[in-house]
Amino acid sequence: MIRRACALTVVSAVLAYSGVSAAGPSGVDLVVDECPHVHAEEVDRVLAIELAPVLSASSGSERLRAELSCDDARLSIVAIDPVTYKRLTRTVAIDRRTPDYDRTVALLVSQLFLTSWSELLLARSAAQGLSPQPPQSPAVEHAAEQSVRSALSTTDSRGELTVGVGARVRELSSPVVGGNATLRPSLLLGRSWRVFVEAAYERGAADRAQGVIAYSLGSGAVGAGVRALVGPVELEIDLRVGAAYVSVSGDATSGAVGTTASGAVGEAALDLGPTLVLGHARIGLLATAGATAPRIVASSTADRELSIGGMWLGASLVAGLAERAP
């Protein structure tokens, strides 16, 4: 089994360098020429999903063909489309460290075919005037039209789960430090945007002359964020709003607290920081600035009161795992 796996790996590498055409399960004739970072099997797998309606309707006599070639950091694509009898080319600058590199390549290929098929949405008379060749079967043309309409009306989305641990500093004039943990399920929209919900728990304490005053805070929030590739990492910016329940109390043995307090508050926060992408996983460091209102105040008999409210700062180490893209 190990020998077989090694042999398959060697064969794939040879095909990638030599430019030998390989017709995979997608039904697309894929030619990869001198692209060592392109895994033809994965590109073919994604093409089988992206172009499924047309490929399933085709009789197989006329096959889609895609030719890939690489030069330094540039990828050249030639799409030969038997549906509209078009030959489209595109050259893009793409970093091999791009997250989901093979899927990105496959999407670029599929977009060329969708561009070709988009002329089928024009009036029939105009479309027929573009090509003297006989038209494809109605089933294939209909599938191509539906693929274009679907691409225009839907957004690629997938799930992600992120956890985080960190610290927050509240009451900046008289700092109160707390630790926090977060759980954030997200829905990724396309390559950059996401929406999420967040559940968090925070607990901290402040030393006072007459004892220790502690607080706990449980919160829930909704938010949205955007990620942008900057070199080998992504820069992430998130904005969220929500509500929390705060409880403030003192050390029962010190007698420092005259009152305890609890109540509901509103919160808003902005996260900013770099995340390192490792396949479908990511790890990052986020700095946070937030605000809480109204204030929840507990007083002491001989020292400053402790209130939870106003501006606060924080930092968290986060790790996430995204759903495998289709």
Side-chain angles (χ1 to χ4, degrees):
M1 181 66 70
I2 295 177
R3 290 182 178 178
R4 183 179 180 184
C6 292
L8 288 174
T9 301
V10 172
V11 171
S12 298
V14 171
L15 289 175
Y17 278 100
S18 63
V20 175
S21 177
S26 72
V28 177
D29 287 332
L30 184 63
V31 179
V32 181
D33 184 20
E34 296 183 357
C35 295
H37 304 297
V38 174
H39 299 89
E41 297 85 354
E42 178 62 12
V43 173
D44 192 73
R45 183 191 72 83
V46 178
L47 287 176
I49 297 172
E50 295 294 324
L51 305 177
V54 174
L55 295 174
S56 61
S58 176
S59 63
S61 59
E62 294 288 345
R63 298 173 63 88
L64 304 181
R65 181 179 175 87
E67 300 173 354
L68 309 180
S69 59
C70 299
D71 180 12
D72 295 331
R74 302 180 71 83
L75 172 70
S76 296
I77 306 170
V78 177
I80 302 173
D81 175 26
V83 179
T84 60
Y85 301 97
K86 295 293 182 182
R87 179 187 178 95
L88 286 79
T89 63
R90 182 180 183 185
T91 300
V92 296
I94 180 171
D95 192 328
R96 63 182 178 83
R97 297 169 298 181
T98 300
D100 293 333
Y101 178 83
D102 293 312
R103 182 170 184 269
T104 301
V105 171
L107 292 177
L108 290 171
V109 173
S110 67
Q111 286 172 3
L112 277 183
F113 285 111
L114 290 172
T115 299
S116 179
W117 298 336
S118 65
E119 75 175 35
L120 297 174
L121 301 182
L122 304 174
R124 286 293 178 183
S125 57
Q128 291 173 358
L130 293 174
S131 174
Q133 292 89 350
Q136 279 281 354
S137 69
V140 174
E141 287 197 358
H142 177 73
E145 289 180 9
Q146 292 305 310
S147 295
V148 175
R149 295 184 189 278
S150 177
L152 292 174
S153 62
T154 62
T155 301
D156 173 43
S157 62
R158 54 187 174 136
E160 181 183 76
L161 182 62
T162 302
V163 296
V165 293
R168 291 176 180 173
V169 180
R170 295 179 180 269
E171 296 306 299
L172 303 181
S173 61
S174 182
V176 181
V177 179
N180 72 288
T182 60
L183 179 66
R184 180 181 289 185
S186 305
L187 182 64
L188 306 180
L189 304 174
R191 301 297 301 171
S192 301
W193 293 92
R194 66 177 183 144
V195 293
F196 59 84
V197 296
E198 180 183 275
Y201 179 75
E202 179 183 346
R203 185 171 180 82
D207 291 323
R208 297 294 189 245
Q210 301 298 317
V212 177
I213 302 177
Y215 77 93
S216 61
L217 182 151
S219 64
V222 296
V226 63
R227 292 167 175 166
L229 189 65
V230 180
V233 300
E234 284 186 333
L235 181 64
E236 179 173 329
I237 303 176
D238 301 323
L239 177 64
R240 66 182 187 274
V241 294
Y245 187 82
V246 184
S247 178
V248 187
S249 61
D251 185 347
T253 63
S254 69
V257 177
T259 63
T260 61
S262 61
V265 297
E267 284 201 318
L270 178 69
D271 301 319
L272 173 65
T275 58
L276 179 63
V277 180
L278 305 170
H280 298 289
R282 64 179 58 242
I283 184 169
L285 181 64
L286 296 181
T288 306
T292 301
R295 289 183 176 274
I296 302 297
V297 181
S299 61
S300 64
T301 56
D303 204 351
R304 297 179 182 177
E305 64 185 17
L306 173 64
S307 64
I308 299 299
M311 298 294 297
W312 54 269
L313 301 174
S316 298
L317 180 67
V318 297
L321 184 64
E323 179 184 4
R324 182 181 176 89

